[in-house]
Amino acid sequence: MIDKIAWLHLRDGRILSTRSRGKEVYYLPGGKREPGETDHDTLVREIREELDVAIVPESIAAAGTFEAQADGHPAGTLVRMTCYTAGYRGTLEASSEIEEIAWLEHADRGRVSAVDQLIFDHLHETGRLR
């Protein structure tokens, strides 16, 4: 099981997604915990590293946990994505290993990882993603 934290940032019915250098698939911003980190610590660090913005810690809110086959791993390797919403300060910019940021909608679900597809479906069903 791969355990990851993700930021769900929606605007005008679209969700912020990222594409790493050398990859074709888009992923929700976030990543794995470092030793001793809480979910909130991980979210703040990963978003600062990937998008060069500061998450507002007091605005972090749980948004669900999703599991699916891990992209690029042997069959049976699952990823568990614990998702949070949060406000931020700064200007979103691709940083670190991120080559591109994109605002995707449900019609783009074929461009994202399996676990992100589940999240896209959930957000679409609840009227948050067009």
Side-chain angles (χ1 to χ4, degrees), residues 7 44 47-48 51-57 59 86-91:
W7 184 35
V44 168
I47 300 311
R48 182 183 64 247
L51 299 170
D52 202 27
V53 296
I55 291 292
V56 178
S59 72
Y88 70 96
R89 287 187 291 274
T91 301

Side-chain angles (χ1 to χ4, degrees), residues 1-118:
M1 177 70 67
I2 299 169
D3 193 26
K4 296 181 88 174
I5 303 300
W7 184 35
L8 303 186
H9 183 55
L10 291 117
R11 183 183 297 159
D12 300 324
R14 295 182 176 182
I15 191 164
L16 179 68
S17 294
T18 60
R19 187 176 57 77
S20 297
R21 285 182 176 74
K23 301 278 186 176
E24 296 296 321
V25 175
Y26 287 83
Y27 299 91
L28 295 172
K32 298 176 191 171
R33 282 181 207 82
E34 291 186 353
E37 280 186 330
T38 66
D39 285 8
H40 289 196
D41 293 339
T42 303
L43 184 69
V44 168
R45 177 184 52 76
E46 286 285 346
I47 300 311
R48 182 183 64 247
E49 289 174 1
E50 293 182 359
L51 299 170
D52 202 27
V53 296
I55 291 292
V56 178
E58 59 273 14
S59 72
I60 297 172
T65 301
F66 303 84
E67 291 182 10
Q69 170 64 41
D71 185 54
H73 291 270
T77 303
L78 298 179
V79 61
R80 175 183 297 132
M81 189 84 75
T82 304
C83 301
Y84 294 90
T85 59
Y88 70 96
R89 287 187 291 274
T91 301
L92 296 166
E93 294 183 31
S95 184
S96 187
E97 75 273 8
I98 303 304
E99 184 169 345
E100 177 186 6
I101 60 175
W103 292 95
L104 304 181
E105 52 193 51
H106 191 256
D108 297 309
R109 72 183 297 281
R111 299 169 65 192
V112 302
S113 70
V115 72
D116 287 12
Q117 288 180 12
L118 294 177

